[in-house]
Amino acid sequence: MTLPTNELDQLEQDIIIELQEDARKSFKSIAAKLKVSESTISNRVNRLVASGILKLEARVNPFKLSNKVVAVVGINVKNREHEDTIKKVQAISGVNAVWVTTGKYDLFAEVMADSINDLNNFIFREGLGKIDEITFTETYIVLYSNSKYFKI
């Protein structure tokens, strides 16, 4: 049974849980555990990916790599021009995610840089500093996380 777009049934939730435990787990082994056919698993995963609900990708733990700096940057923008600003921020190398938020900041960006100097360049010169819509930023350096993985 497939539910309307952006709704998950129990099987789809179970498939996602299996893939979260090990994204390299074969559809065959997931199917055996969930007692459905391999083609059912394949069809459901393809539907979840096509609908944008599920994304399968490789990410790294920056705290296991040497000389990486992770930061969360609060960003305020002129005239609340979120869509255009989000696209510009997401296009900058090292940006892992951008969120529209409530509260003190309009946006938050997760960033991974190779050094404090690179983070400084990201904030003031080569990255955010080149986006005219940004009026203010506040940067928080992340000291550790055992659950956050980043794109390279």
PDB file of all heavy atoms in Angstrom, residues 98-118:
ATOM      1  N   VAL A  98      21.334  24.498   5.231  1.00  0.00           N
ATOM      2  CA  VAL A  98      20.817  25.830   5.544  1.00  0.00           C
ATOM      3  C   VAL A  98      19.367  25.668   5.952  1.00  0.00           C
ATOM      4  O   VAL A  98      18.608  24.948   5.297  1.00  0.00           O
ATOM      5  CB  VAL A  98      20.912  26.782   4.325  1.00  0.00           C
ATOM      6  CG1 VAL A  98      20.361  28.158   4.673  1.00  0.00           C
ATOM      7  CG2 VAL A  98      22.344  26.888   3.823  1.00  0.00           C
ATOM      8  N   TRP A  99      18.975  26.335   7.043  1.00  0.00           N
ATOM      9  CA  TRP A  99      17.599  26.255   7.529  1.00  0.00           C
ATOM     10  C   TRP A  99      17.021  27.649   7.687  1.00  0.00           C
ATOM     11  O   TRP A  99      17.696  28.559   8.147  1.00  0.00           O
ATOM     12  CB  TRP A  99      17.511  25.608   8.913  1.00  0.00           C
ATOM     13  CG  TRP A  99      18.225  24.321   9.070  1.00  0.00           C
ATOM     14  CD1 TRP A  99      17.923  23.131   8.484  1.00  0.00           C
ATOM     15  CD2 TRP A  99      19.367  24.068   9.892  1.00  0.00           C
ATOM     16  NE1 TRP A  99      18.794  22.153   8.899  1.00  0.00           N
ATOM     17  CE2 TRP A  99      19.693  22.707   9.767  1.00  0.00           C
ATOM     18  CE3 TRP A  99      20.147  24.861  10.725  1.00  0.00           C
ATOM     19  CZ2 TRP A  99      20.750  22.129  10.449  1.00  0.00           C
ATOM     20  CZ3 TRP A  99      21.202  24.283  11.394  1.00  0.00           C
ATOM     21  CH2 TRP A  99      21.497  22.931  11.256  1.00  0.00           C
ATOM     22  N   VAL A 100      15.736  27.797   7.379  1.00  0.00           N
ATOM     23  CA  VAL A 100      14.968  28.992   7.728  1.00  0.00           C
ATOM     24  C   VAL A 100      14.422  28.738   9.122  1.00  0.00           C
ATOM     25  O   VAL A 100      13.892  27.663   9.394  1.00  0.00           O
ATOM     26  CB  VAL A 100      13.805  29.225   6.730  1.00  0.00           C
ATOM     27  CG1 VAL A 100      12.961  30.410   7.164  1.00  0.00           C
ATOM     28  CG2 VAL A 100      14.347  29.428   5.319  1.00  0.00           C
ATOM     29  N   THR A 101      14.569  29.730  10.012  1.00  0.00           N
ATOM     30  CA  THR A 101      14.197  29.513  11.400  1.00  0.00           C
ATOM     31  C   THR A 101      13.353  30.664  11.949  1.00  0.00           C
ATOM     32  O   THR A 101      13.228  31.709  11.322  1.00  0.00           O
ATOM     33  CB  THR A 101      15.457  29.379  12.282  1.00  0.00           C
ATOM     34  OG1 THR A 101      16.218  30.594  12.210  1.00  0.00           O
ATOM     35  CG2 THR A 101      16.313  28.214  11.851  1.00  0.00           C
ATOM     36  N   THR A 102      12.818  30.428  13.125  1.00  0.00           N
ATOM     37  CA  THR A 102      12.183  31.496  13.885  1.00  0.00           C
ATOM     38  C   THR A 102      13.179  31.947  14.939  1.00  0.00           C
ATOM     39  O   THR A 102      14.169  31.268  15.202  1.00  0.00           O
ATOM     40  CB  THR A 102      10.896  31.007  14.583  1.00  0.00           C
ATOM     41  OG1 THR A 102      11.247  29.954  15.489  1.00  0.00           O
ATOM     42  CG2 THR A 102       9.886  30.502  13.577  1.00  0.00           C
ATOM     43  N   GLY A 103      12.923  33.092  15.546  1.00  0.00           N
ATOM     44  CA  GLY A 103      13.799  33.553  16.616  1.00  0.00           C
ATOM     45  C   GLY A 103      14.736  34.643  16.153  1.00  0.00           C
ATOM     46  O   GLY A 103      14.444  35.397  15.226  1.00  0.00           O
ATOM     47  N   LYS A 104      15.884  34.713  16.787  1.00  0.00           N
ATOM     48  CA  LYS A 104      16.853  35.795  16.583  1.00  0.00           C
ATOM     49  C   LYS A 104      17.403  35.842  15.151  1.00  0.00           C
ATOM     50  O   LYS A 104      17.722  36.903  14.641  1.00  0.00           O
ATOM     51  CB  LYS A 104      17.995  35.623  17.587  1.00  0.00           C
ATOM     52  CG  LYS A 104      19.032  36.709  17.558  1.00  0.00           C
ATOM     53  CD  LYS A 104      20.075  36.488  18.655  1.00  0.00           C
ATOM     54  CE  LYS A 104      21.147  37.545  18.626  1.00  0.00           C
ATOM     55  NZ  LYS A 104      22.145  37.350  19.685  1.00  0.00           N
ATOM     56  N   TYR A 105      17.528  34.681  14.511  1.00  0.00           N
ATOM     57  CA  TYR A 105      18.129  34.620  13.175  1.00  0.00           C
ATOM     58  C   TYR A 105      17.122  34.159  12.137  1.00  0.00           C
ATOM     59  O   TYR A 105      16.250  33.344  12.416  1.00  0.00           O
ATOM     60  CB  TYR A 105      19.350  33.686  13.174  1.00  0.00           C
ATOM     61  CG  TYR A 105      20.403  34.168  14.129  1.00  0.00           C
ATOM     62  CD1 TYR A 105      20.581  33.546  15.353  1.00  0.00           C
ATOM     63  CD2 TYR A 105      21.168  35.283  13.826  1.00  0.00           C
ATOM     64  CE1 TYR A 105      21.516  34.019  16.258  1.00  0.00           C
ATOM     65  CE2 TYR A 105      22.107  35.760  14.723  1.00  0.00           C
ATOM     66  CZ  TYR A 105      22.271  35.128  15.941  1.00  0.00           C
ATOM     67  OH  TYR A 105      23.189  35.614  16.827  1.00  0.00           O
ATOM     68  N   ASP A 106      17.283  34.669  10.932  1.00  0.00           N
ATOM     69  CA  ASP A 106      16.423  34.263   9.817  1.00  0.00           C
ATOM     70  C   ASP A 106      16.829  32.888   9.293  1.00  0.00           C
ATOM     71  O   ASP A 106      15.987  32.098   8.875  1.00  0.00           O
ATOM     72  CB  ASP A 106      16.514  35.271   8.672  1.00  0.00           C
ATOM     73  CG  ASP A 106      16.055  36.660   9.087  1.00  0.00           C
ATOM     74  OD1 ASP A 106      15.018  36.760   9.778  1.00  0.00           O
ATOM     75  OD2 ASP A 106      16.733  37.647   8.728  1.00  0.00           O
ATOM     76  N   LEU A 107      18.138  32.632   9.283  1.00  0.00           N
ATOM     77  CA  LEU A 107      18.684  31.386   8.746  1.00  0.00           C
ATOM     78  C   LEU A 107      19.770  30.866   9.673  1.00  0.00           C
ATOM     79  O   LEU A 107      20.395  31.631  10.405  1.00  0.00           O
ATOM     80  CB  LEU A 107      19.340  31.620   7.370  1.00  0.00           C
ATOM     81  CG  LEU A 107      18.570  32.333   6.283  1.00  0.00           C
ATOM     82  CD1 LEU A 107      19.484  32.608   5.103  1.00  0.00           C
ATOM     83  CD2 LEU A 107      17.372  31.513   5.865  1.00  0.00           C
ATOM     84  N   PHE A 108      20.024  29.565   9.581  1.00  0.00           N
ATOM     85  CA  PHE A 108      21.218  28.967  10.163  1.00  0.00           C
ATOM     86  C   PHE A 108      21.904  28.166   9.073  1.00  0.00           C
ATOM     87  O   PHE A 108      21.239  27.539   8.242  1.00  0.00           O
ATOM     88  CB  PHE A 108      20.877  28.026  11.331  1.00  0.00           C
ATOM     89  CG  PHE A 108      20.726  28.722  12.643  1.00  0.00           C
ATOM     90  CD1 PHE A 108      19.480  29.115  13.091  1.00  0.00           C
ATOM     91  CD2 PHE A 108      21.839  28.991  13.431  1.00  0.00           C
ATOM     92  CE1 PHE A 108      19.340  29.763  14.303  1.00  0.00           C
ATOM     93  CE2 PHE A 108      21.709  29.638  14.648  1.00  0.00           C
ATOM     94  CZ  PHE A 108      20.443  30.026  15.082  1.00  0.00           C
ATOM     95  N   ALA A 109      23.224  28.184   9.071  1.00  0.00           N
ATOM     96  CA  ALA A 109      24.004  27.383   8.131  1.00  0.00           C
ATOM     97  C   ALA A 109      24.985  26.519   8.912  1.00  0.00           C
ATOM     98  O   ALA A 109      25.619  26.995   9.851  1.00  0.00           O
ATOM     99  CB  ALA A 109      24.769  28.276   7.157  1.00  0.00           C
ATOM    100  N   GLU A 110      25.082  25.242   8.528  1.00  0.00           N
ATOM    101  CA  GLU A 110      26.112  24.347   9.049  1.00  0.00           C
ATOM    102  C   GLU A 110      27.285  24.411   8.091  1.00  0.00           C
ATOM    103  O   GLU A 110      27.098  24.278   6.878  1.00  0.00           O
ATOM    104  CB  GLU A 110      25.628  22.901   9.053  1.00  0.00           C
ATOM    105  CG  GLU A 110      24.646  22.545  10.093  1.00  0.00           C
ATOM    106  CD  GLU A 110      24.300  21.062  10.007  1.00  0.00           C
ATOM    107  OE1 GLU A 110      24.389  20.451   8.921  1.00  0.00           O
ATOM    108  OE2 GLU A 110      23.939  20.520  11.034  1.00  0.00           O
ATOM    109  N   VAL A 111      28.474  24.577   8.641  1.00  0.00           N
ATOM    110  CA  VAL A 111      29.657  24.773   7.803  1.00  0.00           C
ATOM    111  C   VAL A 111      30.791  23.879   8.293  1.00  0.00           C
ATOM    112  O   VAL A 111      30.974  23.706   9.488  1.00  0.00           O
ATOM    113  CB  VAL A 111      30.122  26.246   7.887  1.00  0.00           C
ATOM    114  CG1 VAL A 111      31.341  26.488   7.026  1.00  0.00           C
ATOM    115  CG2 VAL A 111      29.001  27.198   7.520  1.00  0.00           C
ATOM    116  N   MET A 112      31.543  23.323   7.348  1.00  0.00           N
ATOM    117  CA  MET A 112      32.769  22.606   7.670  1.00  0.00           C
ATOM    118  C   MET A 112      33.896  23.266   6.885  1.00  0.00           C
ATOM    119  O   MET A 112      33.810  23.419   5.664  1.00  0.00           O
ATOM    120  CB  MET A 112      32.683  21.123   7.304  1.00  0.00           C
ATOM    121  CG  MET A 112      33.924  20.346   7.722  1.00  0.00           C
ATOM    122  SD  MET A 112      33.769  18.546   7.527  1.00  0.00           S
ATOM    123  CE  MET A 112      33.660  18.382   5.754  1.00  0.00           C
ATOM    124  N   ALA A 113      34.948  23.675   7.608  1.00  0.00           N
ATOM    125  CA  ALA A 113      36.096  24.341   6.983  1.00  0.00           C
ATOM    126  C   ALA A 113      37.370  23.581   7.340  1.00  0.00           C
ATOM    127  O   ALA A 113      37.407  22.815   8.302  1.00  0.00           O
ATOM    128  CB  ALA A 113      36.179  25.789   7.459  1.00  0.00           C
ATOM    129  N   ASP A 114      38.418  23.831   6.568  1.00  0.00           N
ATOM    130  CA  ASP A 114      39.688  23.144   6.799  1.00  0.00           C
ATOM    131  C   ASP A 114      40.508  23.760   7.925  1.00  0.00           C
ATOM    132  O   ASP A 114      41.438  23.135   8.422  1.00  0.00           O
ATOM    133  CB  ASP A 114      40.525  23.128   5.518  1.00  0.00           C
ATOM    134  CG  ASP A 114      39.940  22.186   4.477  1.00  0.00           C
ATOM    135  OD1 ASP A 114      39.310  21.185   4.866  1.00  0.00           O
ATOM    136  OD2 ASP A 114      40.107  22.457   3.276  1.00  0.00           O
ATOM    137  N   SER A 115      40.184  24.989   8.318  1.00  0.00           N
ATOM    138  CA  SER A 115      40.942  25.652   9.382  1.00  0.00           C
ATOM    139  C   SER A 115      40.143  26.847   9.892  1.00  0.00           C
ATOM    140  O   SER A 115      39.162  27.261   9.264  1.00  0.00           O
ATOM    141  CB  SER A 115      42.294  26.143   8.851  1.00  0.00           C
ATOM    142  OG  SER A 115      42.085  27.177   7.893  1.00  0.00           O
ATOM    143  N   ILE A 116      40.603  27.413  10.994  1.00  0.00           N
ATOM    144  CA  ILE A 116      39.983  28.643  11.505  1.00  0.00           C
ATOM    145  C   ILE A 116      40.141  29.757  10.468  1.00  0.00           C
ATOM    146  O   ILE A 116      39.223  30.547  10.242  1.00  0.00           O
ATOM    147  CB  ILE A 116      40.610  29.048  12.857  1.00  0.00           C
ATOM    148  CG1 ILE A 116      40.221  28.062  13.948  1.00  0.00           C
ATOM    149  CG2 ILE A 116      40.233  30.474  13.236  1.00  0.00           C
ATOM    150  CD1 ILE A 116      38.746  28.099  14.332  1.00  0.00           C
ATOM    151  N   ASN A 117      41.279  29.810   9.812  1.00  0.00           N
ATOM    152  CA  ASN A 117      41.499  30.823   8.779  1.00  0.00           C
ATOM    153  C   ASN A 117      40.494  30.662   7.639  1.00  0.00           C
ATOM    154  O   ASN A 117      39.931  31.653   7.150  1.00  0.00           O
ATOM    155  CB  ASN A 117      42.936  30.744   8.252  1.00  0.00           C
ATOM    156  CG  ASN A 117      43.257  31.890   7.333  1.00  0.00           C
ATOM    157  OD1 ASN A 117      43.022  33.043   7.671  1.00  0.00           O
ATOM    158  ND2 ASN A 117      43.806  31.575   6.166  1.00  0.00           N
ATOM    159  N   ASP A 118      40.242  29.420   7.217  1.00  0.00           N
ATOM    160  CA  ASP A 118      39.250  29.180   6.162  1.00  0.00           C
ATOM    161  C   ASP A 118      37.846  29.548   6.626  1.00  0.00           C
ATOM    162  O   ASP A 118      37.053  30.078   5.850  1.00  0.00           O
ATOM    163  CB  ASP A 118      39.285  27.721   5.708  1.00  0.00           C
ATOM    164  CG  ASP A 118      40.505  27.409   4.858  1.00  0.00           C
ATOM    165  OD1 ASP A 118      41.158  28.351   4.370  1.00  0.00           O
ATOM    166  OD2 ASP A 118      40.813  26.209   4.706  1.00  0.00           O
TER     167      ASP A 118
END
